Amino acid sequence: MKAATFLSLALACAGACSSLAQDALTIAVIPKGTTHDYWKAIHAGAVKAQRELQSQGVKVEILWKGPLREDDREQQIQVVENFRTKHVSGIALAPLDSQALVAPVATAMDSKIPVVIFDSGLKTEKYVSYIATDNHKGGELAAAELGRLLGGKGRVILLRYAVGSASTEEREAGFLDGLAKFPGIKLISSDQHAGPTRETAYQASQNILNRFGREVDGVFCPNETATVGMAKALRDIGKAGGKVKMVGFDSGAQSVIDLKNGDVQGLVVQDPVRMGYLSVLTLVKQIKGEKVEKRIDTGVHIITPENMNQAEMKELLYPPVDKYLK
């Protein structure tokens, strides 16, 4: 009798343990790339959400995987497909390409796997929620700051990022719209792309400055790698330190150094920790059957040498990555 009782208790425990394991949610977080500071801050935000949810008794496993380079569309598509076939509980995706990822996302949604889009848009409405910066507004802020720095006069370069990247294309469009408010500023180059790495951005910047370096007064770069590459190229020709006014985007470690040193006069900064955090929380809410917003704006700010030591700005410049990523 005792043996039978022990056996039934063991079976009950095994069933309960199995149920608990099944209750653990697997959230795949897929960035555009995995090497840049910005994506590490996104990862930190996802882990922050995981810890908060687990403290509330909600078991969550974060599966972090993305392409090494931010131009590898095929690899990102493959990552989405692999997570779909593994039947994860949900997917948070920063699409490398606003068109190429539409079909993989639709397939995942059709497979009853909710997808949250973050950072960069997708040319479809077939997703749960879009969590991102108002990128057009970010571009407008950059134009306003560059116009102020130049006193409304001068010649300006826009170094674009990459074709198909919705977030940076929106920033570029916002910058051009904002620049139109300064009739005394002439755009002398806007058709060159920095590409996916600091190295490609540096090469593109060198090429542009070889042509326009003697006449340029201001530059806007719409992402971290382009900002770092252009600042380095300006130093090479002796045009850094404010001789050419420069506004960049995002708060990578090198860009913050360049802001401190005076090689960059302004950074348009997002809140990537909050973006990663809200992406995971929104997916869990959707899985639990709660209502979620279709569009969540995570905010955007312009940081300059004048305000960079304010508490709110310092937190954006130095996201607490080490607190969440070991």
Side-chain angles (χ1 to χ4, degrees), residues 2 24 114 127-128 130 153 163 174 196 208 217 221 272 288 292 296 300:
K2 287 182 179 178
Y127 52 76
V128 168
Y130 175 40
K153 300 176 184 178
V163 175
I208 294 173
D217 301 302
C221 296
K288 291 167 67 177
V292 301
I296 300 174
V300 64

Side-chain angles (χ1 to χ4, degrees), residues 6-227:
F6 179 81
L7 178 61
S8 62
L9 284 171
L11 288 171
C13 179
C17 292
S18 173
S19 175
L20 283 172
Q22 289 174 356
D23 288 340
L25 300 176
T26 51
I27 304 297
V29 184
I30 308 172
K32 290 182 178 181
T34 53
T35 57
H36 301 142
D37 293 341
Y38 177 81
W39 302 115
K40 292 173 185 176
I42 294 280
H43 191 186
V47 173
K48 178 183 178 182
Q50 176 194 34
R51 291 182 185 177
E52 184 176 298
L53 288 163
Q54 288 182 333
S55 72
Q56 298 167 2
V58 181
K59 292 189 175 182
V60 176
E61 180 183 3
I62 300 296
L63 306 173
W64 173 264
K65 187 174 179 60
L68 188 62
R69 285 173 57 101
E70 293 186 26
D71 61 351
D72 198 338
R73 292 164 176 78
E74 290 304 316
Q75 187 182 2
Q76 193 181 51
I77 290 169
Q78 190 61 52
V79 171
V80 175
E81 291 293 340
N82 287 344
F83 280 131
R84 181 184 63 80
T85 58
K86 289 178 181 177
H87 300 288
V88 295
S89 306
I91 295 173
L93 171 68
L96 265 174
D97 189 290
S98 60
Q99 288 277 20
L101 275 296
V102 169
V105 167
T107 303
M109 291 284 288
D110 289 341
S111 301
K112 308 302 181 187
I113 298 173
V115 180
V116 161
I117 301 300
F118 70 90
D119 177 73
S120 193
L122 202 60
K123 292 185 177 176
T124 179
E125 291 292 314
K126 196 168 186 177
Y127 52 76
V128 168
S129 183
Y130 175 40
I131 301 172
T133 303
D134 183 337
N135 286 296
H136 192 278
K137 179 182 176 182
E140 290 179 317
L141 287 175
E145 180 61 16
L146 196 56
R148 185 188 71 82
L149 289 165
L150 294 174
K153 300 176 184 178
R155 290 151 295 193
V156 166
I157 289 171
L158 163 61
L159 176 59
R160 296 179 185 268
Y161 170 57
V163 175
S165 170
S167 59
T168 48
E169 287 181 344
E170 288 169 13
R171 294 168 199 170
E172 292 153 11
F175 176 75
L176 294 175
D177 288 346
L179 206 64
K181 298 175 183 177
F182 297 94
I185 293 180
K186 179 183 179 183
L187 190 68
I188 57 175
S189 176
S190 64
D191 61 353
Q192 299 300 303
H193 291 81
T197 68
R198 291 184 180 185
E199 289 72 27
T200 59
Y202 177 54
Q203 291 167 7
S205 299
Q206 286 180 310
N207 292 337
I208 294 173
L209 294 177
N210 283 340
R211 183 177 176 187
F212 297 108
R214 292 184 179 180
E215 56 184 295
V216 63
D217 301 302
V219 179
F220 171 59
C221 296
N223 81 323
E224 177 192 339
T225 50
T227 301

